[in-house]
mmCIF file of all heavy atoms in Angstrom:
data_model
loop_
_atom_site.group_PDB
_atom_site.id
_atom_site.type_symbol
_atom_site.label_atom_id
_atom_site.label_comp_id
_atom_site.label_asym_id
_atom_site.label_seq_id
_atom_site.Cartn_x
_atom_site.Cartn_y
_atom_site.Cartn_z
ATOM 1 N N THR A 37 44.330 96.120 33.911
ATOM 2 C CA THR A 37 45.038 97.394 34.047
ATOM 3 C C THR A 37 45.982 97.409 35.242
ATOM 4 O O THR A 37 46.824 98.285 35.360
ATOM 5 C CB THR A 37 44.011 98.525 34.230
ATOM 6 O OG1 THR A 37 43.108 98.127 35.259
ATOM 7 C CG2 THR A 37 43.263 98.789 32.946
ATOM 8 N N SER A 38 45.808 96.438 36.167
ATOM 9 C CA SER A 38 46.629 96.511 37.370
ATOM 10 C C SER A 38 48.075 96.125 37.053
ATOM 11 O O SER A 38 48.325 95.299 36.170
ATOM 12 C CB SER A 38 46.068 95.625 38.481
ATOM 13 O OG SER A 38 45.640 94.400 37.965
ATOM 14 N N PRO A 39 49.014 96.716 37.776
ATOM 15 C CA PRO A 39 50.422 96.426 37.533
ATOM 16 C C PRO A 39 50.734 94.982 37.933
ATOM 17 O O PRO A 39 50.057 94.421 38.800
ATOM 18 C CB PRO A 39 51.148 97.420 38.446
ATOM 19 C CG PRO A 39 50.133 97.821 39.484
ATOM 20 C CD PRO A 39 48.783 97.648 38.890
ATOM 21 N N GLY A 40 51.695 94.403 37.290
ATOM 22 C CA GLY A 40 52.109 93.037 37.626
ATOM 23 C C GLY A 40 51.034 92.046 37.270
ATOM 24 O O GLY A 40 50.657 91.182 38.059
ATOM 25 N N ARG A 41 50.508 92.184 36.092
ATOM 26 C CA ARG A 41 49.430 91.322 35.628
ATOM 27 C C ARG A 41 49.900 89.861 35.509
ATOM 28 O O ARG A 41 51.090 89.572 35.485
ATOM 29 C CB ARG A 41 49.000 91.832 34.256
ATOM 30 C CG ARG A 41 47.673 91.288 33.863
ATOM 31 C CD ARG A 41 47.109 91.950 32.667
ATOM 32 N NE ARG A 41 46.504 90.953 31.789
ATOM 33 C CZ ARG A 41 45.589 90.100 32.167
ATOM 34 N NH1 ARG A 41 45.176 90.070 33.411
ATOM 35 N NH2 ARG A 41 45.073 89.250 31.320
ATOM 36 N N VAL A 42 48.901 88.998 35.470
ATOM 37 C CA VAL A 42 49.139 87.551 35.473
ATOM 38 C C VAL A 42 50.192 87.140 34.446
ATOM 39 O O VAL A 42 50.164 87.661 33.333
ATOM 40 C CB VAL A 42 47.818 86.818 35.172
ATOM 41 C CG1 VAL A 42 48.049 85.303 35.042
ATOM 42 C CG2 VAL A 42 46.801 87.106 36.262
ATOM 43 N N PRO A 43 51.069 86.199 34.708
ATOM 44 C CA PRO A 43 51.111 85.554 36.019
ATOM 45 C C PRO A 43 51.632 86.498 37.101
ATOM 46 O O PRO A 43 52.717 87.060 36.944
ATOM 47 C CB PRO A 43 52.058 84.381 35.813
ATOM 48 C CG PRO A 43 52.873 84.738 34.620
ATOM 49 C CD PRO A 43 52.054 85.662 33.771
ATOM 50 N N ALA A 44 50.810 86.658 38.106
ATOM 51 C CA ALA A 44 51.186 87.548 39.203
ATOM 52 C C ALA A 44 52.423 86.977 39.884
ATOM 53 O O ALA A 44 52.640 85.772 39.853
ATOM 54 C CB ALA A 44 50.042 87.641 40.208
ATOM 55 N N PRO A 45 53.183 87.824 40.482
ATOM 56 C CA PRO A 45 54.399 87.364 41.133
ATOM 57 C C PRO A 45 54.073 86.282 42.151
ATOM 58 O O PRO A 45 53.131 86.430 42.935
ATOM 59 C CB PRO A 45 54.949 88.612 41.815
ATOM 60 C CG PRO A 45 54.172 89.775 41.263
ATOM 61 C CD PRO A 45 52.935 89.251 40.649
ATOM 62 N N GLY A 46 54.772 85.214 42.075
ATOM 63 C CA GLY A 46 54.599 84.177 43.085
ATOM 64 C C GLY A 46 53.454 83.228 42.804
ATOM 65 O O GLY A 46 53.168 82.348 43.603
ATOM 66 N N LEU A 47 52.738 83.402 41.678
ATOM 67 C CA LEU A 47 51.607 82.527 41.388
ATOM 68 C C LEU A 47 52.120 81.305 40.621
ATOM 69 O O LEU A 47 52.627 81.427 39.513
ATOM 70 C CB LEU A 47 50.589 83.286 40.539
ATOM 71 C CG LEU A 47 49.159 82.792 40.611
ATOM 72 C CD1 LEU A 47 48.588 83.003 41.999
ATOM 73 C CD2 LEU A 47 48.316 83.527 39.590
ATOM 74 N N ASP A 48 51.975 80.132 41.246
ATOM 75 C CA ASP A 48 52.440 78.911 40.598
ATOM 76 C C ASP A 48 51.325 78.381 39.706
ATOM 77 O O ASP A 48 50.461 77.626 40.134
ATOM 78 C CB ASP A 48 52.816 77.884 41.674
ATOM 79 C CG ASP A 48 53.162 76.541 41.046
ATOM 80 O OD1 ASP A 48 53.421 76.503 39.818
ATOM 81 O OD2 ASP A 48 53.166 75.545 41.786
ATOM 82 N N ILE A 49 51.364 78.814 38.448
ATOM 83 C CA ILE A 49 50.258 78.571 37.531
ATOM 84 C C ILE A 49 49.972 77.086 37.338
ATOM 85 O O ILE A 49 48.833 76.685 37.116
ATOM 86 C CB ILE A 49 50.559 79.281 36.181
ATOM 87 C CG1 ILE A 49 49.262 79.462 35.362
ATOM 88 C CG2 ILE A 49 51.596 78.543 35.364
ATOM 89 C CD1 ILE A 49 48.499 80.664 35.744
ATOM 90 N N GLN A 50 50.993 76.250 37.475
ATOM 91 C CA GLN A 50 50.831 74.815 37.250
ATOM 92 C C GLN A 50 49.829 74.183 38.208
ATOM 93 O O GLN A 50 49.148 73.226 37.865
ATOM 94 C CB GLN A 50 52.189 74.084 37.412
ATOM 95 C CG GLN A 50 53.290 74.574 36.503
ATOM 96 C CD GLN A 50 52.934 74.474 35.018
ATOM 97 O OE1 GLN A 50 52.231 73.553 34.610
ATOM 98 N NE2 GLN A 50 53.390 75.423 34.224
ATOM 99 N N SER A 51 49.754 74.722 39.414
ATOM 100 C CA SER A 51 48.907 74.088 40.428
ATOM 101 C C SER A 51 47.443 74.538 40.323
ATOM 102 O O SER A 51 46.614 74.144 41.140
ATOM 103 C CB SER A 51 49.444 74.423 41.815
ATOM 104 O OG SER A 51 49.347 75.820 42.018
ATOM 105 N N PHE A 52 47.105 75.360 39.314
ATOM 106 C CA PHE A 52 45.749 75.891 39.214
ATOM 107 C C PHE A 52 44.921 75.185 38.151
ATOM 108 O O PHE A 52 45.445 74.781 37.103
ATOM 109 C CB PHE A 52 45.802 77.384 38.861
ATOM 110 C CG PHE A 52 46.046 78.268 40.050
ATOM 111 C CD1 PHE A 52 47.322 78.371 40.604
ATOM 112 C CD2 PHE A 52 45.005 78.978 40.616
ATOM 113 C CE1 PHE A 52 47.544 79.179 41.698
ATOM 114 C CE2 PHE A 52 45.229 79.789 41.711
ATOM 115 C CZ PHE A 52 46.504 79.889 42.261
#
Side-chain angles (χ1 to χ4, degrees):
Chain A
T37 50
S38 42
R41 196 169 138 55
V42 175
L47 204 66
D48 174 17
I49 199 84
Q50 302 302 326
S51 64
F52 278 76

